[in-house]
Amino acid sequence: MTGRLRSALLTLGVLAAPTIASAQEEFQRPGTTVPAPETAPADNGAIPAPSPNLDYQSLPLPDRNRIIEALGVKDNPLNPYTQSTLKGDRPVFDDWFITLDLLSDTLVEPRSFPVPSGAVTTARNGENDKFGDPNQLVVNQTLLPSLTITKGDTTFMPPEFEFVFTPAINYNYAHVEELGLLRADPSKGTTRNDTFIGIQEAFVDYHLRNVSERFDFDSFRIGIQPINLDFRGFLFQDDQLAARLFGNRANNRFQYNLEGIWRIEKDTNSGLNDLSQPLRRDYTIAANLFVQDLPVEGMTTEFSAVHNWNREEAFYYDKNGFITRPAAIGDERPHKYNVTYFGLNNDGHLGRINLSSSAYYVMGNDDHNVFSQGKANIRAYFAAAEPSIDFDWIRLRASALYASGDSKPYGKTESGFDAIQENPQIAGADTSYWIRQSIPLIGGGGVNLSSRDGVLPSLRSSGDEGQSNFINPGLTLFGVGTDLDLLPELRLTFNFNHLWFNNPEVLEILRQQPTVHKDIGWDLSSAITYRPFDTQNVVLRLSGATLIPGQGFKDLYDSEPPNRIYYSVLTNIILKY
């Protein structure tokens, strides 16, 4: 206990002033006697010892949190870097705390990718090419105020009760060079301004019980909440309506999670939860077990089983008038499916080597194959790994990913792997061109070759609003990258990835082309991240990426001029109170 804290406690009467005798008794050897107290000489400048006969009064305090006021630390609600009742540093009353947050996420994104053009959709007189001008600009501004109410002494144990409410206010702007891209009606022009208010979090977390003196616990959470079913967001990462039972055992070595998820419809342009729409007929049940120090110390292993059943058999058009369910592919008929994912995921380190890996096998059935028009089984698999090693301020990374493809689209087994709602954190994540951009499959149906913030070429109509599709070409990715911490607040990142289709047969059928090669091309990206205060309160990020097309990409998008290089520039400013 520091001298300053002890003096404050003595002043408040929380501690009684010790006598010399009691202090000597505390540290005396067994069998010895305590000598009578002596008064220190007054002429040597020392403070006289307190008399053992003084009668001290005790002063009760409402709670231990008021002690900090005696130390001179004052409440400053407007400054998030100091003690603040509004940031949960002191209770509002008893052991109830509130935390107010406000996050501003600003995005400016010039980009280019292949877009269709033609007599109906072109905005430029005299143009009749199959592909149009690919240049676009997107501006997105989101405000996320958040209120958290917590009960309990969370310094030592999980909260007894927690309520979180996070609305989102969004403005987005888009400008393109071709008609019919932003809205199905080409008369709407090439510019779109849109606003939306959604609810990203609204849940209650109730602490059921502690099961050990080390505060192993069981808790229940219900409402709209963040969901991530693995370490890197390969299978399902989103804010969705769910009921969740979770907890831990054996001093937190084992953590379990059981949850049921009922998906909320998304707003097309902002990607936020749209509660004005009926809930989707898409349901997921997930069970996860995390084991620390398995198979070696420093490594956490996750075992998971996830079942997703989809009953969306009605036609659904998105906010801009494009058909989203069923996807405009094959015979374009509604269908339903049941799939079960079995997963094994790891995250941690093996000595100096950091390692994150993931593997999934999916099995199930689809009541309508859009090519054969009959029932089909689903059998597909996925694997990914990202090892890295640190040398002081330098981290070197390698990335590898394999998603199985479907080599027989007219067969009775669909073998192209697809996720439920992916948001992959690998190979540069949204810095990567391939992961960041949604690339339309022009001339092959109203679907995307890959979805925004997704790595799988799953031929879905939309990553947010579409159904999973297990008839796709699959993907192989190999890459290397590095993170350079030039300063504690400044990081520079580089990523170099190469991508291939595994089975392009489905692309050949959709495009009615005799040959589509496997080589997608090189995805090159870099990013610089600056945190001027060494915290997440202010984050500035600028990234740039380009796709140098391989022969397979050229087969699909042999546009004019030849050998076009597509780009993505991302300027992101995050401010948080």
Side-chain angles (χ1 to χ4, degrees):
M1 182 182 296
T2 65
R4 187 178 182 186
L5 177 58
R6 188 177 185 87
S7 298
L9 296 176
L10 286 170
T11 301
L12 294 170
V14 176
L15 294 180
T19 64
I20 294 177
S22 63
Q24 291 175 335
E25 289 172 357
E26 182 179 356
F27 299 105
Q28 69 178 344
R29 293 183 179 180
T32 62
T33 60
V34 180
E38 297 180 0
T39 302
D43 58 353
N44 61 1
I47 300 175
S51 169
N53 299 319
L54 290 178
D55 184 17
Y56 282 92
Q57 300 285 329
S58 63
L59 177 64
L61 293 175
D63 53 69
R64 65 182 182 84
N65 298 282
R66 301 302 189 270
I67 297 174
I68 197 169
E69 296 177 2
L71 300 179
V73 179
K74 302 302 181 183
D75 198 342
N76 188 352
L78 299 180
N79 188 345
Y81 294 98
T82 62
Q83 296 290 326
S84 173
T85 302
L86 298 182
K87 304 299 290 185
D89 295 317
R90 291 184 176 92
V92 178
F93 63 91
D94 196 17
D95 57 352
W96 288 85
F97 298 80
I98 67 169
T99 302
L100 296 179
D101 291 315
L102 177 62
L103 186 144
S104 170
D105 188 346
T106 305
L107 173 71
V108 180
E109 184 178 4
R111 65 190 187 189
S112 71
F113 52 76
V115 297
S117 178
V120 176
T121 60
T122 185
R124 295 166 292 142
N125 293 332
E127 294 286 347
N128 59 2
D129 294 335
K130 180 169 59 176
F131 300 98
D133 190 325
N135 296 300
Q136 304 180 16
L137 174 64
V138 172
V139 178
N140 194 82
Q141 172 64 54
T142 304
L143 290 176
L144 292 148
S146 181
L147 167 67
T148 302
I149 301 175
T150 307
K151 182 183 186 300
D153 189 354
T154 57
T155 303
F156 305 102
M157 59 181 289
E160 301 173 29
F161 173 88
E162 184 177 16
F163 169 75
V164 177
F165 179 69
T166 306
I169 306 166
N170 176 265
Y171 165 77
N172 58 84
Y173 166 87
H175 175 75
V176 299
E177 300 296 332
E178 300 292 342
L179 296 169
L181 297 181
L182 299 178
R183 299 179 181 87
D185 183 356
S187 68
K188 298 294 185 180
T190 59
T191 299
R192 183 185 66 214
N193 289 277
D194 192 26
T195 58
F196 186 77
I197 299 177
I199 305 297
Q200 295 305 98
E201 290 180 317
F203 67 82
V204 172
D205 188 322
Y206 181 70
H207 185 74
L208 299 176
R209 60 174 182 165
N210 294 320
V211 295
S212 75
E213 61 183 11
R214 299 279 183 152
F215 297 113
D216 292 325
F217 68 93
D218 295 316
S219 285
F220 180 73
R221 177 181 294 180
I222 188 168
I224 302 173
Q225 56 190 282
I227 297 169
N228 189 3
L229 296 185
D230 56 52
F231 297 109
R232 293 296 187 100
F234 290 125
L235 183 60
F236 196 123
Q237 185 177 33
D238 199 7
D239 296 310
Q240 285 292 343
L241 178 63
R244 178 184 174 206
L245 177 67
F246 63 100
N248 61 351
R249 293 294 187 275
N251 295 337
N252 202 40
R253 186 181 180 190
F254 300 94
Q255 298 136 37
Y256 74 90
N257 178 73
L258 299 170
E259 63 186 311
I261 306 166
W262 192 353
R263 291 179 72 183
I264 301 171
E265 201 71 74
K266 294 290 185 178
D267 175 66
T268 304
N269 299 326
S270 67
L272 301 176
N273 290 330
D274 186 357
L275 296 181
S276 67
Q277 299 286 336
L279 294 174
R280 297 180 58 173
R281 298 186 65 192
D282 186 278
Y283 318 99
T284 300
I285 293 179
N288 310 83
L289 176 64
F290 298 85
V291 184
Q292 296 187 26
D293 297 329
L294 180 73
V296 297
E297 290 186 2
M299 183 67 67
T300 299
T301 297
E302 176 198 4
F303 304 92
S304 63
V306 181
H307 184 74
N308 174 229
W309 67 98
N310 183 283
R311 294 294 182 271
E312 296 175 303
E313 300 176 270
F315 283 86
Y316 178 81
Y317 293 82
D318 69 17
K319 187 176 182 178
N320 299 319
F322 297 102
I323 187 169
T324 303
R325 299 192 296 268
I329 185 175
D331 65 357
E332 198 175 315
R333 286 180 56 186
H335 66 114
K336 58 185 178 181
Y337 54 85
N338 296 279
V339 290
T340 302
Y341 297 84
F342 299 98
L344 177 64
N345 300 276
N346 297 94
D347 189 67
H349 63 90
L350 302 170
R352 288 191 58 194
I353 305 296
N354 309 303
L355 178 63
S356 183
S357 64
S358 182
Y360 283 102
Y361 178 75
V362 57
M363 58 187 299
N365 59 80
D366 186 348
D367 79 328
H368 181 79
N369 181 306
V370 296
F371 291 98
S372 68
Q373 302 180 22
K375 294 183 179 180
N377 294 318
I378 297 172
R379 302 288 188 274
Y381 54 93
F382 169 92
E386 189 166 83
S388 65
I389 186 170
D390 297 319
F391 298 94
D392 195 8
W393 53 278
I394 300 173
R395 169 169 288 188
L396 302 179
R397 290 179 284 102
S399 304
L401 183 148
Y402 185 91
S404 64
D406 194 335
S407 61
K408 299 178 180 179
Y410 288 99
K412 294 184 178 181
T413 300
E414 300 174 4
S415 54
F417 183 87
D418 196 8
I420 303 172
Q421 178 71 65
E422 63 169 329
N423 186 15
Q425 307 300 307
I426 193 173
D430 62 356
T431 298
S432 157
Y433 179 91
W434 177 263
I435 294 177
R436 179 65 182 176
Q437 299 304 330
S438 177
I439 303 174
L441 182 65
I442 302 167
V447 296
N448 298 312
L449 181 63
S450 64
S451 299
R452 187 175 178 87
D453 294 327
V455 70
L456 302 172
S458 52
L459 306 182
R460 295 169 73 149
S461 58
S462 167
D464 287 334
E465 300 174 272
Q467 295 172 292
S468 298
N469 175 38
F470 301 93
I471 309 176
N472 64 67
L475 182 77
T476 296
L477 179 152
F478 287 108
V480 294
T482 182
D483 299 326
L484 308 175
D485 289 325
L486 305 179
L487 297 169
E489 65 272 17
L490 184 65
R491 170 173 291 181
L492 186 61
T493 300
F494 296 96
N495 299 283
F496 306 90
N497 304 316
H498 200 92
L499 305 100
W500 298 265
F501 297 123
N502 292 327
N503 300 99
E505 288 84 355
V506 62
L507 301 175
E508 294 171 352
I509 293 173
L510 292 172
R511 289 291 298 270
Q512 299 183 16
Q513 289 183 226
T515 302
V516 174
H517 291 83
K518 293 184 176 183
D519 188 9
I520 297 173
W522 284 96
D523 184 338
L524 313 178
S525 64
S526 64
I528 184 167
T529 304
Y530 179 54
R531 301 180 304 143
F533 303 107
D534 284 336
T535 69
Q536 297 300 111
N537 294 86
V538 178
V539 181
L540 311 176
R541 185 162 70 104
L542 175 65
S543 67
T546 184
L547 180 69
I548 302 176
Q551 189 56 53
F553 200 89
K554 292 178 181 179
D555 292 338
L556 295 172
Y557 307 103
D558 187 13
S559 58
E560 190 69 29
N563 302 319
R564 181 190 294 273
I565 296 177
Y566 298 96
Y567 68 90
S568 172
V569 178
L570 183 66
T571 303
N572 192 205
I573 302 174
I574 296 177
L575 307 175
K576 183 179 181 181
Y577 165 78

